[in-house]
């Protein structure tokens, strides 16, 4: 393998020297010429030779580098062979080590083969072209030395002054062993089989025929075919060659597996959306199991080891890591923006897919199922065309998905226009809209991160000041609150027609029926002060309870004679953003359990070295659970349990409650417009002593929970909203010593008591989409 | 020829007979083996194990998920797995069962809402402990109380809350050990009746508070000179025996005072409640005295004196040193002979065990 490269390098040196000598000879001839016509021809010939010389020098330099590489690998192999031999001597462990080294040697030899093949294909092509162009065979090259340095006398031409002047017929009929055999070898496999080997090179003549020699015409055909083949279809040819030894078969199957894996991944990303619902989970696990089985069969991997490995590797990230991470993020109440970004990263960088293709496809020892740890690093450091191919497929899939959503019965906007079922204009519109919205969402996400960081900073800052409390959102089967699930336009919008946008609103509440006031408007993108008010139908969504989805139609049209509408278009041609705005009032609730215990008993436990948490079977810190919605309520999460109270003196419980807004979901923008009031529900035996609220609370008995009171803090500040800020209520709750015996349930048992906080507020939810209004065709 | 045939027939019969015998033997041995059994007939030692009265929810009650505004009867399995039977000799309520819930989510029906832990709100129970005729102890499944899940407050979808049931009872640990009174301090006796082991370890006596270790020391507190009258031969000058007379021999005896260090351990997850002679800590509200047990011990018929009658438990462990008062040291302790005496000990305490179940409350709508 390495010898071939060196040999080729020697040939390249030889050819360069030959052409160089010829060039010098031709130049001398030119100097001795007197006839101007002959001089011109001679100059052309020299120019041609100079071009050839330039090309061959390039090849020679390239080959020189390859030779250096090969020599380096050879040295490494020699060293490793010594190591392997030494390891073999060292007993059973050494044998294993030597096997590993031998595998490495095989890899290096494989690399050398790759270099050799690459070198062959490139230099062979050049040699063919060069030989055809030169049109002169070598007759004899005596005294070729090992360095390839030959003098002028080493090359002789049989006839004619220069290579290019040699007629083709003469070339074929006379001793053209070099060309014919070289071209045949191009059509066959090995560079080492061509006539550049020393024996044929030195002794080629017409009488020295062998089975590979072809008649001149046939030789020409093979020469041409070989040229084409070696020029354009080298890889295909190599693959066909590899087919004989099974390499192509394996490679083909690996690539099929890779494509199948891509499809599974894309389905997972686009259709399942990395969801963790039970049915999707089952589907996903089945898909990846199938994929793993396929991989085992394709790669001929040990079924037990392979199935486990493949399934773990292939399915780990999408099946387990993303959903768990997502769930974990939910549990940690990480914002939607961060979750979206993480999901996007996993979609864009299919680590496991690259792993499958490169790590398992190349570095796996198929028989034993062992893999080299260097493989993954190699893949990560050197991503190649397959990564690019993945992104191309991703784009194609996306376009396909987009088109499939567009190919819907399009609405005939213009009377009389044909409904073709596929509206290219609409598709462009939707695509523009999609890009615009996606871009906006991306910007929002980045802003959201900024806001998150700002919120984190606020939390940190206020945490240090002990006035920012956190909570954990309740994990619902379906989130409570109000959501704009969809807002879209259909078809092309013209300035002569009303523009109609369709929105879907979903709301879920357990307490009261939600009433939502709807409105919409369009804002020009070129002049943001230009705003057109639309009409929504219905203007108020009433009695939404439990879980309900309602449609909202937003229409932009000029009022008619009756003052309602005429169908005339309101929006002039141009680009707009349409906003659907929902206004409603909501409540968010938070629940914080406490465990109270007798102080003396707690002191006893502490002094006797016992952990009261373990002894009493209670959590060290109780979490505040708040209901899902646009607002977060946090309550004293830092307070450690159990909280000790004593019958010997009055007790004071510090109680804090923070109310903060949260980023909205589904690309909508939300804002707490006004806080109406906030409440605290606590047992009768608690008395709110003092609070940081600007108003005194009103106290009423709780009709829902016997033995509880409700402290309501009404907000008198009309402008109090939570936009970019939060509010914290700190109270001092007194527990009378006389009541302790009623609270503590017998000896050494903690009392379980919950305190419930609520906030009632007005909320505004907005979602926007882009709109392009075109001039009506034919209109002036 | 006929002799040969006869001989052959005999040998065949012999083989069949032998085979049958072997089969019968195997069958018999199987029967015998099956009759021998693994449970030796004899008295059952009930003073083993570390459990007292236990309380458990039944498998499906209360259910893990309940609906708002629904009612349910809470059942519990109460089982006296220990060797003592709490009875009414001490208090009117031998075993008291109580329940603890969060009022926001659950309401106890038929009870005052302010506090459910007044004296009259306990349910008392009588259950026999383990005995030779009832070696597993008495158990019962009883309805504790009716609970109603409140309508879920606010917008929460499925809150989770806990239900706690506790059993509080007075209990006793009985402990007995044969103690070797080892006066052979210098190992002079070639074949002593017994030897003091110095340290004894135990794993349970059929109660949640156990004696898990005991150190026994035989402390010499003095030596007494004890003249002994003995029969002495009277010998004449020629060496002949003239008769038997009485003589006095001067002897010395070691006075021993056995000393015990007894270690106690709360071997279960329950809580020991300190008490006095008057109050029942199960009903008297918060315990401020920590965890303590009271003990009494006797060595043979001699009551032991302990460093303190009430042992405070720290980190579930406590120990006390007990000994025999100087005035009670009996004369036989002075003899240079080893012998055994039974040590009997009673530890008395209140104990409370709790079981917890988390339940999810589901919305009806």
């Amino acid at each position: 393998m390495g010898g071939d490269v060196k040999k080729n390098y020697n040939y390249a040196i030889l050819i360069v020297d030959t052409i160089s000598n010829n060039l010098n000879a031709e130049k001398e001839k030119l100097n001795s010429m007197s006839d101007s016509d002959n001089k011109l021809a001679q100059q052309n010939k020299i120019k041609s030779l100079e071009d050839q010389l330039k090309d061959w020098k390039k090849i020679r330099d390239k080959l020189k580098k390859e030779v250096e590489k090969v020599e380096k690998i050879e040295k490494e192999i020699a060293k490793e062979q010594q190591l392997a031999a030494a390891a073999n001597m060292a007993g059973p462990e050494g044998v294993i080590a030597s096997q590993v080294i031998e595998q490495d040697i095989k890899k290096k030899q494989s690399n050398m083969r790759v270099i050799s093949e690459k070198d062959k294909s490139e230099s062979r092509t050049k040699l063919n072209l060069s030989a055809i162009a030169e049109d002169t065979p070598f007759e004899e090259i005596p005294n070729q030395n090992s360095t390839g340095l030959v003098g002028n006398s080493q090359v002789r031409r049989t006839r004619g002054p220069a290579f290019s002047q040699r007629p083709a017929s003469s070339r074929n009929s006379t001793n053209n062993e070099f060309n014919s055999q070289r071209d045949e070898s191009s059509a066959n496999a090995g560079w080492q089989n061509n006539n550049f080997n020393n024996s044929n090179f030195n002794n080629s003549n017409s009488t020295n025929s062998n089975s590979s020699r072809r008649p001149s015409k046939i030789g020409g055909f093979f020469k041409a075919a070989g040229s084409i083949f070696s020029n354009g279809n080298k890889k295909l040819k190599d693959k066909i060659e590899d087919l004989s030894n099974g390499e192509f078969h394996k490679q083909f199957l690996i690539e099929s597996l890779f494509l199948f894996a891509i499809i599974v991944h894309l389905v997972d990303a686009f259709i399942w959306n990395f969801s963790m619902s039970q049915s999707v989970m089952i589907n996903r696990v089945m898909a990846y199991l199938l994929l793993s089985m396929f991989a085992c069969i394709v790669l001929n991997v040990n079924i037990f080891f392979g199935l486990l490995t493949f399934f773990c590797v292939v399915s780990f990230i999408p099946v387990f890591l993303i959903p768990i991470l997502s769930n974990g993020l939910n549990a940690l109440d990480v914002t939607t923006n961060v979750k979206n970004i993480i999901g996007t990263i996993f979609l864009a960088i299919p680590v496991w897919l690259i792993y499958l293709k490169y790590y398992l496809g190349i570095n796996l020892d198929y028989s034993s199922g062992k893999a080299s740890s260097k493989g993954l690093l190699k893949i990560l450091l050197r991503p190649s065309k397959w990564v690019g191919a993945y992104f191309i497929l991703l784009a194609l899939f996306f376009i396909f998905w987009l088109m499939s959503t567009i190919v819907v019965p399009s609405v005939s906007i213009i009377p009389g226009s044909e409904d073709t079922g596929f509206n290219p204009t609409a598709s462009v519109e939707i695509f523009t809209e999609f890009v615009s919205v996606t871009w906006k969402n991306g910007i929002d996400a980045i802003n959201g991160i900024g806001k998150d960081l700002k919120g984190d900073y606020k939390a940190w800052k206020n945490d240090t000041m002990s006035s920012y409390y956190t909570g954990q959102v309740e994990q619902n089967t379906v989130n409570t609150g109000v959501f704009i699930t969809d807002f879209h336009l259909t078809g092309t919008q013209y300035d002569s027609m009303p523009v109609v946008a369709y929105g879907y609103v979903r709301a879920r509440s357990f307490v009261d029926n939600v009433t939502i006031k709807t409105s919409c408007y369009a804002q020009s993108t070129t002049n943001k002060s230009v705003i057109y008010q639309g009409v929504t139908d219905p203007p108020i969504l009433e009695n939404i309870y439990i879980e309900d989805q309602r449609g909202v139609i937003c229409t932009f049209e000029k009022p008619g004679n009756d003052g309602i509408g005429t169908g005339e278009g309101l929006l002039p041609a141009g680009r707009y953003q349409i906003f659907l705005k929902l206004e409603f009032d909501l409540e968010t609730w938070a629940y914080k359990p406490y465990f109270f215990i007798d102080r003396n008993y707690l002191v006893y436990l502490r002094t006797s070295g016992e952990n009261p948490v373990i002894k009493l079977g209670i959590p060290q810190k109780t979490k505040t659970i708040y209901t899902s919605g646009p607002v977060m309520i946090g309550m004293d999460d830092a307070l450690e349990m159990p909280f000790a109270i004593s019958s010997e003196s009055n007790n004071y419980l510090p109680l804090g409650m923070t109310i903060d807004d949260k980023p909205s979901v589904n690309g909508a923008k939300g804002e707490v417009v006004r806080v109406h009031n906030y409440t605290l529900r606590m047992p009768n035996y608690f008395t709110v002593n003092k609070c940081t609220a600007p108003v005194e609370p009103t106290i009423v008995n709780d009709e829902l929970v016997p033995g509880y009171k409700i402290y309501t803090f009404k907000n008198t500040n009309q402008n109090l909203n939570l936009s970019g800020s939060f509010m914290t209520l700190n109270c001092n709750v007194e527990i009378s010593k006389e009541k302790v015996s009623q609270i503590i349930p017998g000896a050494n048992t903690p009392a379980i008591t919950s305190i419930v906080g609520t906030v009632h507020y007005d909320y505004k939810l907005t979602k926007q989409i882009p709109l392009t209004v075109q001039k009506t065709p034919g209109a002036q | 020829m006929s002799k040969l045939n006869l001989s052959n027939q005999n040998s065949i019969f012999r083989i069949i007979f032998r085979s049958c015998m072997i089969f019968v033997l195997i069958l018999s041995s199987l029967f015998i083996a099956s009759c021998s059994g693994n449970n030796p007939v004899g008295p059952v030692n009930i003073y083993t194990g570390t459990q007292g009265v236990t309380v458990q929810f039944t498998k499906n009650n209360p259910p893990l998920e309940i609906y708002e505004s629904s009612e349910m009867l809470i059942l519990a399995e109460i089982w006296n797995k220990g060797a003592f039977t709490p009875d009414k000799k001490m208090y009117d309520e031998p075993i008291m069962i109580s329940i603890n819930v969060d009022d926001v989510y659950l309401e106890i029906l038929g009870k005052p809402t302010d506090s459910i832990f007044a004296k009259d709100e306990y349910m008392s129970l009588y259950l026999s402990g383990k005995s030779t005729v009832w070696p597993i102890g008495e158990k019962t499944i009883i309805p504790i109380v009716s609970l109603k899940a409140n309508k879920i407050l606010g917008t929460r979808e499925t809150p989770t809350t806990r239900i706690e049931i506790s059993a509080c009872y007075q209990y006793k640990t009985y402990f007995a050990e044969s103690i070797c009174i080892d006066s052979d301090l210098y190992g002079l006796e070639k074949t002593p009746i017994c030897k003091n082991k110095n340290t004894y370890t135990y794993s349970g006596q059929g109660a949640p508070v156990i004696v898990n270790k005991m150190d026994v020391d035989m402390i010499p507190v003095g030596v007494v000179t004890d003249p002994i009258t003995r029969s002495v031969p009277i010998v004449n000058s020629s060496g002949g025996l003239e008769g038997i007379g009485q003589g006095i021999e001067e002897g010395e005896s070691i006075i021993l005072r056995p000393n015990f260090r007894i270690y106690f351990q709360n071997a279960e997850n329950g809580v020991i409640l300190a008490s006095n002679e008057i109050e029942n800590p199960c009903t008297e509200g918060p315990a401020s005295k920590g965890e303590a047990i009271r003990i009494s011990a006797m060595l043979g018929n001699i009551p032991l004196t302990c460093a303190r009658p009430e042992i405070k438990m720290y980190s579930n462990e406590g120990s006390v040193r007990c000994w025999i008062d100087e005035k009670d040291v009996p004369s036989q302790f002075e003899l240079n002979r080893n012998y055994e005496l039974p040590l009997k000990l009673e530890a008395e305490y209140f104990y409370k065990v709790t079981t917890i179940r988390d339940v999810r409350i589901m919305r009806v709508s």
Side-chain angles (χ1 to χ4, degrees), chain A residues 326-386:
Chain A
S326 175
N327 249 23
L329 293 173
N330 276 333
L332 291 172
D333 198 23
V334 171
T335 57
T336 312
N337 294 321
V338 177
K339 279 186 280 188
N340 285 344
I341 286 170
I342 289 169
T344 310
I345 288 169
F346 278 115
L347 176 64
I349 308 171
V351 177
W352 66 271
L353 205 61
I354 298 168
Y355 179 91
L356 179 72
K357 165 66 185 161
Y358 290 92
Y359 186 51
L360 300 182
I362 291 173
N363 294 300
L364 192 76
D365 179 349
Y366 301 110
S367 57
S368 67
K370 291 174 187 171
S372 160
S373 59
K374 291 175 187 173
L376 188 60
L377 189 64
K378 197 187 290 179
I379 294 156
L380 293 176
L381 293 177
R382 281 194 237 158
S384 64
K385 60 185 177 181
W386 279 100

Side-chain angles (χ1 to χ4, degrees), chain A residues 476-701:
Chain A
N476 299 110
T477 47
V478 179
N479 286 342
T480 53
V482 176
F483 308 92
I484 300 173
T485 52
D486 190 22
F487 185 45
H488 69 272
L489 291 154
T490 55
T492 310
Q493 312 298 324
Y494 294 94
D495 58 355
S496 62
M497 303 296 294
V499 172
V500 183
Y502 302 88
Y504 288 96
V505 177
R506 186 173 61 76
R508 196 187 197 208
S509 169
F510 294 123
V511 184
D512 299 314
N513 291 350
V514 181
T515 300
I516 302 167
K517 187 181 167 192
T518 64
S519 61
C520 68
Y521 61 93
Q523 185 183 41
S524 171
T525 52
T526 49
N527 183 1
K528 293 200 173 178
S529 62
V530 177
I531 290 173
Y532 298 91
Q533 196 65 43
V535 177
T536 51
D537 180 27
I540 294 175
L541 295 167
E542 287 181 309
N543 297 328
I544 297 184
Y545 185 59
I546 304 298
E547 190 175 354
D548 200 356
Q549 179 153 310
R550 305 278 180 89
V552 179
I553 299 171
C554 169
T555 311
F556 294 91
E557 61 180 347
K558 285 179 183 171
N561 294 331
D562 55 358
I564 300 170
T566 60
E568 292 290 325
L570 174 69
L571 302 176
R575 294 176 63 80
Y576 302 90
Q577 289 286 330
I578 306 180
F579 295 84
L580 175 63
K581 189 168 80 176
L582 307 179
E583 290 170 288
F584 48 90
D585 64 326
L586 266 185
E587 277 187 0
T588 297
W589 291 61
Y591 308 78
K592 166 87 173 170
Y594 288 85
F595 292 90
F596 295 101
I597 198 160
D598 178 63
R599 183 178 297 159
N600 289 331
Y601 184 57
L602 186 66
V603 169
Y604 162 74
L605 289 177
R606 297 272 188 212
T607 51
S608 66
E610 288 206 59
N611 186 343
V613 168
I614 296 169
K615 187 81 178 177
L616 302 171
I618 60 172
Q620 183 151 21
K621 288 179 182 175
T622 53
K623 289 176 183 170
T624 304
I625 304 291
Y626 66 91
T627 53
S628 65
V631 165
M632 184 280 298
I633 299 181
M635 293 166 80
D636 242 337
D637 277 359
L639 196 67
E640 288 196 359
M641 297 292 137
F643 188 81
I645 52 176
S646 170
S647 55
E648 294 161 9
S649 59
N650 283 348
N651 306 276
Y652 297 95
L653 170 71
L655 181 67
M657 182 168 82
T658 296
I659 302 164
D660 200 357
D661 63 341
K662 296 197 302 178
S664 306
V665 294
N666 294 339
K669 189 180 176 186
E671 187 184 350
V672 174
V673 179
R674 186 187 165 216
V675 175
H676 287 288
N677 60 55
Y678 38 96
T679 67
L680 284 170
R681 281 176 160 81
M682 56 182 76
N684 283 335
Y685 40 78
F686 287 3
T687 308
V688 172
N689 230 0
K690 193 179 175 185
C691 283
T692 55
V695 291
E696 285 297 314
T698 56
I699 308 165
V700 292
N701 284 327

Side-chain angles (χ1 to χ4, degrees), chain A residues 176-229:
Chain A
N176 195 6
E177 187 70 13
F178 164 68
N179 279 333
S180 63
Q181 287 204 2
R182 180 184 58 214
D183 292 338
E184 284 171 37
S185 68
S186 299
N188 292 312
W191 171 256
Q192 63 272 27
N193 294 330
N194 66 34
N195 281 339
F196 270 102
N197 62 49
N198 288 337
S199 60
N200 287 337
F201 197 68
N202 292 334
N203 303 310
S204 59
N205 55 59
S206 58
T207 57
N208 188 19
S209 61
N210 55 37
S211 61
S212 64
R213 188 183 300 171
R214 297 284 184 272
S216 60
K217 285 182 182 177
I218 296 173
F221 168 75
F222 272 89
K223 191 192 302 173
S227 299
I228 293 163
F229 215 35

Side-chain angles (χ1 to χ4, degrees), chain A residues 127-400:
Chain A
L127 285 168
N128 279 338
L129 289 171
S130 173
I132 294 163
E134 285 162 1
D135 203 19
T136 305
F138 294 102
E139 188 183 51
E140 187 180 5
I141 304 177
N143 304 325
Q144 184 185 352
N145 58 30
S146 60
T147 58
L149 296 173
V150 289
N152 288 341
S153 61
Q154 287 175 314
V155 179
R156 289 203 311 267
R157 264 177 228 110
T158 51
R159 263 168 267 163
F163 287 9
S164 57
Q165 288 177 343
R166 183 84 187 153
S169 57
S170 140
R171 183 189 66 221
N172 291 331
S173 60
T174 58
N175 308 338
N176 195 6
E177 187 70 13
F178 164 68
N179 279 333
S180 63
Q181 287 204 2
R182 180 184 58 214
D183 292 338
E184 284 171 37
S185 68
S186 299
N188 292 312
W191 171 256
Q192 63 272 27
N193 294 330
N194 66 34
N195 281 339
F196 270 102
N197 62 49
N198 288 337
S199 60
N200 287 337
F201 197 68
N202 292 334
N203 303 310
S204 59
N205 55 59
S206 58
T207 57
N208 188 19
S209 61
N210 55 37
S211 61
S212 64
R213 188 183 300 171
R214 297 284 184 272
S216 60
K217 285 182 182 177
I218 296 173
F221 168 75
F222 272 89
K223 191 192 302 173
S227 299
I228 293 163
F229 215 35
S230 59
N231 275 331
N233 301 312
K234 167 69 183 69
K235 283 186 180 173
L236 178 63
K237 186 174 77 66
D238 282 350
K239 284 178 180 177
I240 292 166
E241 286 166 4
D242 290 341
L243 190 59
S244 60
N245 59 18
E247 285 298 322
F248 176 61
H249 178 68
K250 195 183 286 176
Q251 189 66 21
F252 174 76
L253 289 174
I254 289 170
E255 284 169 12
S256 305
L257 174 66
F258 180 71
L259 289 174
F260 181 64
I262 282 180
I263 292 163
V264 172
H265 181 74
L266 294 179
V267 167
D268 196 359
F270 282 103
I271 297 174
W272 294 335
N273 199 23
F274 298 118
S275 161
M276 206 177 175
S277 72
Q278 196 177 4
S279 58
V280 168
M281 197 70 180
I282 292 166
N283 285 340
R284 183 190 295 154
V285 169
M286 291 305 293
Y288 285 105
L289 193 63
L290 192 67
L291 184 61
S292 304
M293 289 169 68
F294 187 42
C296 285
I297 295 163
V298 165
L299 299 176
N300 193 25
V301 176
N302 178 293
I303 192 75
F304 297 107
F305 174 82
L307 197 58
L308 184 68
T309 308
F310 277 104
F311 187 65
C312 289
V313 171
V314 169
S315 61
F316 177 71
I317 291 174
V319 175
F320 299 107
L321 189 62
I322 292 180
I324 287 168
L325 196 62
S326 175
N327 249 23
L329 293 173
N330 276 333
L332 291 172
D333 198 23
V334 171
T335 57
T336 312
N337 294 321
V338 177
K339 279 186 280 188
N340 285 344
I341 286 170
I342 289 169
T344 310
I345 288 169
F346 278 115
L347 176 64
I349 308 171
V351 177
W352 66 271
L353 205 61
I354 298 168
Y355 179 91
L356 179 72
K357 165 66 185 161
Y358 290 92
Y359 186 51
L360 300 182
I362 291 173
N363 294 300
L364 192 76
D365 179 349
Y366 301 110
S367 57
S368 67
K370 291 174 187 171
S372 160
S373 59
K374 291 175 187 173
L376 188 60
L377 189 64
K378 197 187 290 179
I379 294 156
L380 293 176
L381 293 177
R382 281 194 237 158
S384 64
K385 60 185 177 181
W386 279 100
V387 181
Y390 170 73
F391 285 113
I392 291 167
L393 274 170
L394 192 70
L396 288 172
F397 191 93
F398 172 71
I399 290 165
F400 175 76

